[in-house]
Amino acid sequence: MLKFVTCVLLFSALAAYSENDVIKLKNYPSQNPFTDTLRIEYFYSHDDESSFWSQMSLWGSDCYYEGKKINIKILEDHPELTYKVWMQKNPAPLIIILPGLGGHYTSDTVTAFAGLFYGKGYSVLAISSAMNWEFMESAAKTMIPGYTPYDAKDVRNALSIILNDMLERYPALITKKMLMGYSLGAIHALFISDFEAKENLLGIQRYVAINPPIDMLSAMSKLETMFEIWQTWSKDELKNNIIRSTGIYMSLIQHKIPPRAIIPIDEDDAQFIIGYAYHLNLRNIIYSIHTRKDFGFIKTPYSWFSRSALYKEIDSFGFNKYRDTYIKKYFSEVFGESFSFEKLNENSSLMAIEKNLSENQKVRILHNMNDFLLRKKDIEWLRKVMKKKIVFFDRGGHLGNLFTEEFQSQLIESLKDSD
Amino acid sequence: MQFVYEDNFMRFLIVFFAAVLFRTLIANAENPAELPSEKIHSVTFKIPIDEKQYFLADCILIEKTDAFDDSYNYESVIVLRKRSFKTVDEKEFEAEVNISDPIEGFNRVMTSFNYGLVMYVFRPVAIGYATVFPRFMINGFGNLTDNLEFLVRTFSCMLQAKFGDAGEESLRFLINTVLGVAGFFDVADDWFGLKTHDEDFGQAFASWGIGTGCFLVLPLQGPSSGRDCVGLLFDYALDPKTYVYGAQWFAKLNKSSLYIQEYEKISEANEDGYTYVKDIWYLVRKVKIED
């Protein structure tokens, strides 16, 4: 009996210990990881609707227009890369934002982060994701994005040139630099922290990663599975579900559904919306690659006036096919005989930089317990490696709790106490 | 390695029971990367159930290095997809999300023309306009121009046999015109909860079973379709603004001063904004029609 009681107490203590890094979101109407994820649409810049003047007005204050766009040459023989800055008038810390898969520096999420940080007294710099066409064409030495170490190197190289440019433009306005990434941007931020620990090029004092997937290739496969849910629908279901989910998504982006209300959408429809959004991102990635170099996987001829057939063929590519064609061909040439997907996956995983994550005191991670890109063992691994440097939220799916006060105050908290 | 295996229904049953067995025995086998072996291949079984449906099962083959007999050198882990019955193919999906575009060249030229017009003519004028008029006035003018379009919405509702909605639209017009200063304030919604019905003749034609037709980008108007283009003629004919010089231009300017940012974002964020706008417009249009 004594043994039984001891065991129960021990397990309770262990459970309590493992759960004490979890922040419980109040009044968060969690439904499932996928529907929770759609709540990212509630994270937007609020000032565009509350001011007396509209966003186009010269008197208006709109976060999107307050940012300044600057073009800069990153690589010779490539077009210039555009980055956007929101500079404080007085000296302030600079936060660099790395968006998620396919994310552009003009996206609503980037603008919302910029508005949040700017409002707290930080200056902000945003660039497009390494898997966005603009970055790929202007700043990527790697022709095929998707292999995290190489993508992160490209981002680091671009940032070093941009930061030098900023120091020239705003010599006395940047007191320190912090790097924040979400989703794919988060995994890039963490890899950059590893590079920087070996060679300090950027002088970053804090790295904050929001909802990083553990490895990119598995995450991409998961996104494809989500998109392919339509394959299990009947013809009638296909029509109805697409229309219904589009309608609800429209209501969400127009903020017609209050943030604390239940979203009237089921798990499958939510999966489809998320998967379809990423599928469209993949379309842009492949289009960008194909227009610069023909790898022989796409046969349809095209011209400026006629590209629909080309897109049709590109749309037949999912993330797995992209991996099995473009990534395989490109990296087989780069690595030669030593190439294998297992190796590629291993090097792209956060586990490849476990030592840095464990020892680097500049790194912080914010994650959600019900992020669909995390498996149970990933959570355990993150806890073991990051210890007190990670904070979990009990709900939110993938990025679906960015709008909550709890998340935002924790994010700002994570930026403090940097060297 | 990827291959597709096709066989009869009995094979499906065998695979099914094998899958259940393996699924029970081997935890965490959903991701090949979690398995220790480096020689892992994924396979998709595609087993027809009838002419239209087939069963999908993902299988992971683990190459055994100590096998003596080449024909038995694989162990397999079969993972059932959550819903494994595939019932529609890519063509049916494409038909749902893509609109036919046989005059793409013309449409792309028109899209570029509209882009130039919006960014280099409308945008500077809209900045000046929005600098003079505060947000509440722009919203008020928007309400006023929407109020004038009540005939389009009412007739469209009637043509779709939505008589209740048609009545509400007429009531909204009366209330907003009398109590809302000619429609400057949308008091019908604010005070009485009478929401507007976003209807037009294109939607009415769709409800009669007339097909979408091809994609069509109109100068000054933007994305449309063969059917909606014809509907637009009726929309304009029933809109009083058409008969007042400059009123349609004013309505467009007023609207663009509120929404031009979205247009800018889409144009900047997409390498080929045309395709993005076409796909999204088609989906949104379908939602409106089915509403």
Side-chain angles (χ1 to χ4, degrees):
Chain A
M1 184 64 187
L2 189 65
K3 273 182 186 173
F4 175 73
V5 172
T6 314
C7 279
V8 168
L9 286 173
L10 200 63
F11 276 119
S12 307
L14 275 172
Y17 174 75
S18 64
E19 293 291 323
N20 67 4
D21 55 354
V22 179
I23 293 175
K24 290 189 166 58
L25 296 173
K26 287 173 191 162
N27 304 320
Y28 186 90
S30 183
Q31 293 168 253
N32 57 65
F34 307 103
T35 311
D36 287 0
T37 300
L38 296 179
R39 290 180 194 276
I40 189 175
E41 297 300 339
Y42 294 123
F43 184 56
Y44 64 102
S45 180
H46 287 268
D47 57 358
D48 56 358
E49 283 170 18
S50 58
S51 98
F52 180 75
W53 297 98
S54 70
Q55 57 203 10
M56 291 297 290
S57 169
L58 293 178
W59 322 118
S61 63
D62 182 78
C63 188
Y64 179 78
Y65 285 120
E66 278 173 3
K68 184 184 175 190
K69 282 185 259 182
I70 300 168
N71 295 328
I72 190 166
K73 196 85 169 165
I74 304 292
L75 300 172
E76 286 302 314
D77 306 324
H78 284 65
E80 289 185 329
L81 179 74
T82 307
Y83 66 94
K84 198 166 181 178
V85 289
W86 289 260
M87 294 301 291
Q88 300 281 351
K89 285 176 183 140
N90 298 314
L94 174 76
I95 300 182
I96 303 158
I97 301 174
L98 301 182
L101 200 156
H104 195 254
Y105 69 88
T106 59
S107 75
D108 285 344
T109 309
V110 168
T111 310
F113 271 121
L116 174 69
F117 293 137
Y118 190 82
K120 299 283 180 189
Y122 296 94
S123 291
V124 181
L125 155 69
I127 61 170
S128 298
S129 158
M131 290 186 85
N132 176 276
W133 63 273
E134 193 173 302
F135 187 94
M136 286 163 61
E137 292 176 14
S138 304
K141 288 179 186 165
T142 315
M143 187 81 186
I144 307 294
Y147 180 50
T148 310
Y150 280 26
D151 292 345
K153 264 181 199 159
D154 282 335
V155 174
R156 185 177 179 231
N157 178 52
L159 284 179
S160 72
I161 295 167
I162 289 169
L163 287 173
N164 284 337
D165 183 52
M166 285 189 72
L167 286 174
E168 279 177 28
R169 285 173 191 270
Y170 313 104
L173 287 184
I174 301 169
T175 55
K176 58 181 175 181
K177 290 166 259 176
M178 303 179 213
L179 183 61
M180 187 224 77
Y182 59 90
S183 192
L184 175 70
I187 199 170
H188 287 161
L190 295 174
F191 267 78
I192 290 171
S193 77
D194 183 52
F195 302 148
E196 288 289 299
K198 290 162 192 159
E199 185 199 358
N200 193 354
L201 182 70
L202 305 176
I204 306 282
Q205 276 105 332
R206 173 72 82 220
Y207 301 88
V208 180
I210 301 168
N211 292 30
I214 298 298
D215 67 77
M216 259 316 291
L217 295 178
S218 300
M220 291 199 298
S221 289
K222 175 72 184 171
L223 292 172
E224 179 160 332
T225 312
M226 289 162 62
F227 169 63
E228 284 178 346
I229 195 111
W230 64 265
Q231 293 181 349
T232 65
W233 294 339
S234 69
K235 201 172 175 182
D236 285 342
E237 275 180 327
L238 181 73
K239 188 183 173 192
N240 296 335
N241 291 0
I242 287 175
I243 289 171
R244 191 179 60 243
S245 47
T246 306
I248 291 164
Y249 189 63
M250 277 168 60
S251 303
L252 263 177
I253 58 175
Q254 292 167 354
H255 311 122
K256 287 180 180 169
I257 302 173
R260 306 289 177 189
I262 294 289
I263 302 171
I265 193 168
D266 69 20
E267 192 175 323
D268 285 1
D269 288 356
Q271 282 197 62
F272 171 74
I273 291 173
I274 299 163
Y276 189 51
Y278 282 109
H279 189 76
L280 292 179
N281 279 328
L282 179 66
R283 173 205 275 183
N284 291 334
I285 291 167
I286 295 175
Y287 176 79
S288 171
I289 294 167
H290 184 65
T291 50
R292 286 177 292 142
K293 187 178 175 184
D294 187 358
F295 280 81
F297 300 119
I298 291 169
K299 310 289 180 203
T300 311
Y302 70 99
S303 68
W304 187 88
F305 294 99
S306 174
R307 281 177 266 176
S308 289
L310 172 71
Y311 281 114
K312 212 173 217 179
E313 191 179 355
I314 290 175
D315 282 345
S316 71
F317 281 71
F319 281 104
N320 287 343
K321 194 172 171 186
Y322 172 72
R323 180 198 62 202
D324 294 341
T325 51
Y326 283 99
I327 289 184
K328 186 178 179 183
K329 184 164 186 179
Y330 183 79
F331 288 101
S332 296
E333 284 169 17
V334 172
F335 294 120
E337 284 183 0
S338 64
F339 169 84
S340 76
F341 276 129
E342 287 74 26
K343 194 113 184 158
L344 217 63
N345 207 25
E346 209 174 272
N347 293 342
S348 294
S349 164
L350 285 185
M351 290 171 187
I353 55 166
E354 179 174 343
K355 192 168 180 284
N356 170 63
L357 293 179
S358 173
E359 294 172 0
N360 194 334
Q361 292 306 311
K362 294 177 179 174
V363 176
R364 299 286 182 276
I365 294 180
L366 306 178
H367 227 310
N368 298 334
M369 293 294 282
N370 69 341
D371 187 332
F372 55 78
L373 294 179
L374 281 190
R375 295 155 296 188
K376 212 172 186 179
K377 68 173 202 169
D378 294 334
I379 294 173
E380 287 159 14
W381 180 81
L382 280 169
R383 274 199 172 118
K384 187 189 82 183
V385 172
M386 296 300 294
K387 297 188 177 72
K388 288 185 174 176
K389 295 181 293 177
I390 189 165
V391 169
F392 282 102
F393 294 88
D394 60 341
R395 291 166 287 182
H398 187 66
L399 303 172
N401 54 5
L402 303 184
F403 72 97
T404 62
E405 281 175 21
E406 292 100 322
F407 175 85
Q408 291 178 13
S409 61
Q410 196 60 47
L411 175 61
I412 298 300
E413 196 62 35
S414 71
L415 296 168
K416 291 176 183 166
D417 306 324
S418 52
D419 299 333
Chain B
M1 185 182 72
Q2 285 273 349
F3 65 86
V4 169
Y5 187 89
E6 297 195 23
D7 208 336
N8 57 23
F9 187 67
M10 275 307 290
R11 182 71 66 163
F12 155 68
L13 288 176
I14 294 164
V15 171
F16 181 81
F17 287 114
V20 172
L21 180 68
F22 277 113
R23 187 82 193 257
T24 318
L25 290 175
I26 301 166
N28 287 328
E30 288 180 3
N31 189 338
E34 295 172 15
L35 295 165
S37 170
E38 286 195 346
K39 294 183 178 177
I40 300 164
H41 312 278
S42 71
V43 184
T44 301
F45 282 89
K46 181 182 172 187
I47 302 126
I49 310 267
D50 57 34
E51 283 181 0
K52 282 193 168 180
Q53 295 192 67
Y54 50 88
F55 177 86
L56 286 176
D58 297 326
C59 178
I60 298 156
L61 293 177
I62 306 158
E63 204 170 324
K64 284 174 71 176
T65 49
D66 57 344
F68 295 106
D69 185 344
D70 281 350
S71 59
Y72 292 101
N73 65 347
Y74 287 105
E75 276 183 359
S76 62
V77 178
I78 298 159
V79 183
L80 281 175
R81 290 190 186 179
K82 190 181 167 195
R83 293 175 66 182
S84 302
F85 292 94
K86 183 171 177 173
T87 53
V88 287
D89 60 27
E90 280 77 9
K91 281 182 184 168
E92 283 165 311
F93 179 75
E94 277 172 20
E96 286 300 328
V97 296
N98 292 334
I99 181 170
S100 79
D101 192 6
I103 51 166
E104 187 184 353
F106 169 81
N107 288 336
R108 282 189 179 274
V109 170
M110 280 303 120
T111 303
S112 300
F113 171 77
N114 286 343
Y115 176 81
L117 194 75
V118 170
M119 296 306 287
Y120 301 110
V121 179
F122 264 88
R123 190 174 181 276
V125 177
I127 290 173
Y129 177 78
T131 303
V132 174
F133 294 104
R135 183 189 296 273
F136 82 91
M137 289 196 74
I138 294 171
N139 285 335
F141 289 139
N143 290 338
L144 199 144
T145 53
D146 282 349
N147 194 44
L148 291 172
E149 290 166 14
F150 92 100
L151 270 179
V152 177
R153 294 190 293 270
T154 307
F155 272 88
S156 174
C157 287
M158 286 167 74
L159 292 173
Q160 294 175 70
K162 295 177 176 174
F163 298 112
D165 293 352
E168 275 186 18
E169 275 300 329
S170 306
L171 199 57
R172 271 180 54 81
F173 176 74
L174 272 174
I175 293 170
N176 282 340
T177 307
V178 176
L179 301 176
V181 196
F184 190 87
F185 300 102
D186 188 0
V187 289
D189 184 4
D190 296 342
W191 294 355
F192 304 103
L194 287 170
K195 301 272 181 208
T196 188
H197 301 279
D198 189 6
E199 302 286 354
D200 55 50
F201 276 76
Q203 293 180 56
F205 294 159
S207 75
W208 296 353
I210 297 173
T212 312
C214 68
F215 186 61
L216 195 57
V217 180
L218 300 170
L220 313 176
Q221 186 67 33
S224 187
S225 68
R227 179 195 58 213
D228 294 341
C229 189
V230 177
L232 210 58
L233 295 174
F234 291 89
D235 293 343
Y236 274 107
L238 281 177
D239 185 352
K241 296 199 298 290
T242 309
Y243 307 102
V244 179
Y245 182 75
Q248 290 288 8
W249 282 100
F250 172 75
K252 279 190 198 305
L253 172 67
N254 190 69
K255 207 169 214 172
S256 64
S257 68
L258 288 175
Y259 298 111
I260 225 163
Q261 190 186 86
E262 297 308 315
Y263 184 84
E264 263 186 274
K265 278 185 191 172
I266 290 171
S267 305
E268 276 189 279
N270 290 280
E271 185 168 24
D272 185 5
Y274 170 81
T275 306
Y276 179 82
V277 168
K278 183 175 73 171
D279 289 350
I280 300 300
W281 173 84
Y282 185 52
L283 282 174
V284 170
R285 191 71 190 151
K286 284 179 94 160
V287 171
K288 282 186 177 176
I289 288 164
E290 294 295 325
D291 185 16

